[in-house]
Amino acid sequence: MFAIVGAAGKVGFATSTALREAGVPVKAILRDESKSARLREIGCEIAIANLQDPNALAVAIGNAENVQVILPPSPRVEDTAKEMREAIEALATALEKVRPRRLLAISDYGAHVTRDIGMPTMCRAFEKRLGQIQGHKLFLRSAEHMQNWARSIPTAMASGTLLSFLEPTDKLLPTISASDLGSIAADLLLQPASGDNLEIVHAEGPCRYSVDDVATAVGQLLGRTIKVEVVPRSQWKDAFEQVMSPSLADLLIKANDAQNEGGLVDVEPGCHEVRYGGTPLIDALRPLFFPRDTRSRVCNRNTVLSFGSDAICELL
């Protein structure tokens, strides 16, 4: 049995789909029963549990020998960092009770950095706590998700301008499609487990892209030229706090500062195992323009899209 905590998210669903296509049983662990339909359709067993409830999580995981976990932040809680630390402890406590043979945790590029750089630092704490659990532990560090640009699409369509916190805009950055990350995770979970080892694997797309590349891809999909505008650092706080709590905004502002500094939100030096997805940027962005859900999203000019953390993809 393979248990996927957070199976309704983009990564979790991709992992669940790949595992089901491989013919193995999957238990999809969700917080919200209303999101279970498409997981049932692919043959997953469904379990409901709150990420802050270790006893419920332990029951939901049950006797699964392989478990995938992720740590998505909540955009509106008063203290996001506190809630994430509580979720880390609840997940770890549940896993210590059920003791799966193998644990795969979705983490972040930059989790190796020792100083506080926001969201990657939360993933560092995630790795540190889960590293205490017995069994084969695999930390899959993800580059930023291509789908994180979803929030910028309405602004780009309305104004012809792609807003970004990242500069210089021609700097190549690691990024990956969320579906590719889920497939890579599934492939790793299907490999034989190896005792009490700890492995770190990085995952990114087939090549690195700049903000300018994103604007070009958006322009191709819209059929017109899209220019890039960098949001001044002095405006970041207000822009973030329009769509999330000040606590989460602080985590993402620090992550973007680290990204702009360069060399931090990247593959850990000396860690040579990197898996590469095959989805190019334009193909990852295409569904954002032609979604199955056609409900409109209200977005003003200061609602910026790329938040600099793969975890945000799980909120979209």
Side-chain angles (χ1 to χ4, degrees):
M1 175 64 74
F2 293 75
I4 309 299
V5 178
K10 289 180 173 61
V11 177
F13 184 74
T15 303
S16 300
T17 300
L19 290 173
R20 289 297 300 134
E21 289 175 350
V24 299
V26 174
K27 180 182 289 188
I29 300 176
L30 318 174
R31 289 182 288 190
D32 185 350
E33 170 74 28
S34 68
K35 297 181 179 180
S36 65
R38 63 177 185 162
L39 289 156
R40 293 185 191 277
E41 288 175 2
I42 62 173
C44 293
E45 178 184 339
I46 305 298
I48 307 300
N50 189 307
L51 287 183
Q52 265 72 28
D53 186 339
N55 292 325
L57 280 169
V59 170
I61 294 169
N63 63 351
E65 293 188 341
N66 304 275
V67 180
Q68 176 175 306
V69 296
I70 195 167
L71 189 67
S74 297
R76 290 297 184 185
V77 296
E78 183 177 351
D79 190 336
T80 302
K82 178 176 181 289
E83 186 195 57
M84 293 179 76
R85 286 191 292 269
E86 290 172 350
I88 289 169
E89 188 57 37
L91 279 166
T93 299
L95 292 164
E96 286 170 339
K97 288 183 178 182
V98 298
R99 301 179 65 177
R101 179 179 297 179
R102 175 170 43 202
L103 166 67
L104 186 150
I106 304 294
S107 186
D108 234 352
Y109 270 38
H112 65 284
V113 177
T114 56
R115 66 180 173 88
D116 185 6
I117 58 170
M119 193 62 72
T121 301
M122 295 303 304
C123 287
R124 179 177 177 82
F126 192 36
E127 290 185 8
K128 182 177 180 180
R129 180 64 181 90
L130 296 184
Q132 301 170 17
I133 297 170
Q134 292 185 347
H136 181 196
K137 296 163 289 289
L138 201 159
F139 299 145
L140 180 56
R141 292 180 182 166
S142 170
E144 183 178 357
H145 292 174
M146 296 171 182
Q147 288 82 0
N148 283 357
W149 286 98
R151 288 184 180 272
S152 54
I153 300 305
T155 302
M157 293 177 68
S159 69
T161 299
L162 182 73
L163 300 175
S164 175
F165 298 120
L166 305 176
E167 60 178 332
T169 61
D170 62 352
K171 180 170 66 176
L172 297 177
L173 301 168
T175 185
I176 188 171
S177 171
S179 59
D180 282 351
L181 180 63
S183 296
I184 290 169
D187 182 65
L188 291 168
L189 285 169
L190 290 168
Q191 303 303 313
S194 54
D196 197 32
N197 292 345
L198 190 156
E199 297 180 61
I200 295 174
V201 178
H202 293 77
E204 58 183 85
C207 62
R208 296 190 169 195
Y209 295 97
S210 68
V211 176
D212 291 341
D213 292 329
V214 176
T216 298
V218 171
Q220 290 175 352
L221 291 166
L222 290 176
R224 60 192 176 101
T225 300
I226 300 295
K227 66 179 182 179
V228 175
E229 181 179 327
V230 175
V231 180
R233 180 64 173 76
S234 61
Q235 297 178 17
W236 286 15
K237 188 173 187 295
D238 287 343
F240 276 113
E241 290 182 6
Q242 288 184 36
V243 292
M244 64 185 68
S245 69
S247 176
L248 179 55
D250 180 65
L251 291 174
L252 298 177
I253 287 170
K254 289 176 180 176
N256 278 279
D257 278 335
Q259 189 73 274
N260 287 340
E261 182 177 334
L264 296 175
V265 187
D266 211 317
V267 176
E268 180 178 358
C271 187
H272 301 297
E273 186 168 2
V274 182
R275 297 286 185 104
Y276 296 94
T279 303
L281 176 66
I282 194 166
D283 288 343
L285 295 181
R286 196 182 309 278
L288 304 179
F289 291 84
F290 309 104
R292 285 177 294 179
D293 183 352
T294 58
R295 291 170 296 177
S296 62
R297 297 183 184 183
V298 177
C299 183
N300 66 34
R301 188 180 182 283
N302 291 321
T303 303
V304 188
L305 308 85
S306 179
F307 292 138
S309 173
D310 65 272
I312 293 300
C313 183
E314 296 304 297
L315 304 177
L316 299 176

